[in-house]
Amino acid sequence: MTATSRPGVGDLVVQVMTDSRWVCSDIHGATTDQLVWLLLPLHGSSKKHLRVDHVDIVSYAVEARRGEWVRS
């Protein structure tokens, strides 16, 4: 995985196995190799979120970059 394929804050991502859509709201550990992405569901409760570590982020594909999509 290259750095450009990793989601950034505000990007819309799709969980490949379930086709569920999430918005990347934050990235922790940016100064380390142990990155953790905080993902919020595109639809549904904002209290429900996922923490995805750097190894598992490959299961999520960037569907649209920040500013390229709108929540409908």
Side-chain angles (χ1 to χ4, degrees), residues 58-72:
V58 296
S59 299
Y60 294 81
V62 175
E63 184 170 282
R65 293 291 179 182
R66 179 181 183 171
E68 296 177 346
W69 66 277
V70 293
R71 188 180 306 249
S72 55

Side-chain angles (χ1 to χ4, degrees), residues 18-69:
T18 65
D19 200 37
S20 58
R21 284 165 174 64
W22 300 82
V23 178
C24 181
S25 67
D26 201 1
I27 303 170
H28 297 281
T31 59
T32 71
D33 290 334
Q34 302 296 318
L35 294 173
V36 175
W37 284 261
L38 181 62
L39 305 179
L40 297 174
L42 179 60
H43 301 289
S45 173
S46 62
K47 293 180 182 179
K48 187 179 195 180
H49 66 272
L50 292 177
R51 291 177 59 90
V52 181
D53 68 24
H54 69 285
V55 174
D56 295 326
I57 201 65
V58 296
S59 299
Y60 294 81
V62 175
E63 184 170 282
R65 293 291 179 182
R66 179 181 183 171
E68 296 177 346
W69 66 277

